[in-house]
Amino acid sequence: MADRALTATELADIAGVSKPTLSAHLAKLLEAQLIAVEPQGRHRYFRLANPDVAQLLESLMGVAFRSGAVRLRGSPREPALRKARVCYDHLAGELGVLAYEGMQGQGVFTGLQRDLQLTETGRAWFTALGVDSTALATQRRCFCRPCLDWGERRHHLAGVLGAALLARVFELGWARRDPRSRVVLFTEPGEYAFRQLFRPGWAKNVG
């Protein structure tokens, strides 16, 4: 879910299972085309097959947390994961939800769920941020869609546009990824600047 390729040994260590057990699971996932593998030298690196699989996993995690089947309590990373994390290639958690709802409040989008559309106001908003939404719209994958956040139980922004938003946050130096987890670590000035984006009239003030 962090959009990284890992070896079978690394995955076995993370999951806490034996390598033969993990290899059996990986074979089934490959057969179902849920993951992809890339050989490099003596190693084989596994990753999720595509963003659709990531969306499925995020939805399943939401069900698991709501049912109590999976719990993060006791984990030292829980508060950080709930605040800001990578959901495949876009921003999730409290700040991801803040962003999506803030953009909705500024008229960046119209419609709901699969009918979500970027408005002219939205194009101007992303341009002010330094994101070329017109160029992004030519890509083959989903342009923009809401993704239900398992922690907040509300939506954050997914799709090419959501990925571009997170990439821009990194480019501006407002945050960085924790190399050991899905956590996104904002600096104090970076979080302040990020929150300012969703104040009414931000794009007009920039313009």
Side-chain angles (χ1 to χ4, degrees):
M1 285 300 291
D3 192 24
R4 288 178 177 157
L6 299 170
T7 66
T9 299
E10 290 170 327
L11 288 166
D13 289 341
I14 292 169
V17 299
S18 68
K19 284 189 282 188
T21 296
L22 190 80
S23 294
H25 283 290
L26 289 174
K28 292 179 180 180
L29 292 169
L30 277 169
E31 184 179 358
Q33 299 182 353
L34 295 174
I35 60 174
V37 61
E38 181 179 349
Q40 186 173 346
R42 296 182 297 119
H43 299 288
R44 301 173 76 210
Y45 290 87
F46 299 87
R47 70 187 319 139
L48 297 184
N50 52 54
D52 289 337
V53 177
Q55 179 183 357
L56 173 63
L57 283 176
E58 186 77 4
S59 298
L60 287 173
M61 282 189 284
V63 173
F65 278 97
R66 286 194 297 274
S67 68
V70 176
R71 298 181 186 276
L72 275 179
R73 290 175 186 168
S75 167
R77 286 199 297 266
E78 179 190 4
L81 277 169
R82 289 186 180 277
K83 182 173 183 178
R85 67 183 181 280
V86 172
C87 178
Y88 190 65
D89 61 359
H90 54 271
L91 182 65
E94 173 192 325
L95 292 180
V97 170
L98 168 82
Y100 180 69
E101 294 182 351
M103 285 185 280
Q104 288 278 33
Q106 293 189 44
V108 170
F109 299 108
T110 184
L112 299 170
Q113 302 299 333
R114 293 187 179 275
D115 295 325
L116 195 68
Q117 299 289 329
L118 186 67
T119 63
E120 288 299 325
T121 297
R123 290 186 181 88
W125 190 92
F126 274 98
T127 297
L129 183 60
V131 174
D132 186 349
S133 60
T134 302
L136 293 174
T138 63
Q139 297 187 22
R140 294 182 62 182
R141 60 173 286 197
C142 174
F143 181 56
C144 62
R145 64 169 178 79
C147 181
L148 186 62
D149 194 280
W150 57 253
E152 295 298 303
R153 315 289 173 85
R154 307 200 307 273
H155 291 97
H156 56 253
L157 180 65
V160 174
L161 210 51
L165 174 63
L166 180 58
R168 186 62 177 148
V169 166
F170 291 148
E171 287 172 3
L172 291 168
W174 293 350
R176 62 179 176 83
R177 288 178 60 167
D178 183 338
R180 300 166 299 172
S181 72
R182 295 169 60 192
V183 172
V184 174
L185 299 166
F186 277 79
T187 65
E188 186 174 339
E191 182 176 340
Y192 176 80
F194 182 74
R195 289 177 179 274
Q196 294 307 298
L197 297 179
F198 313 107
R199 294 173 64 90
W202 171 83
K204 292 181 180 178
N205 294 334
V206 171

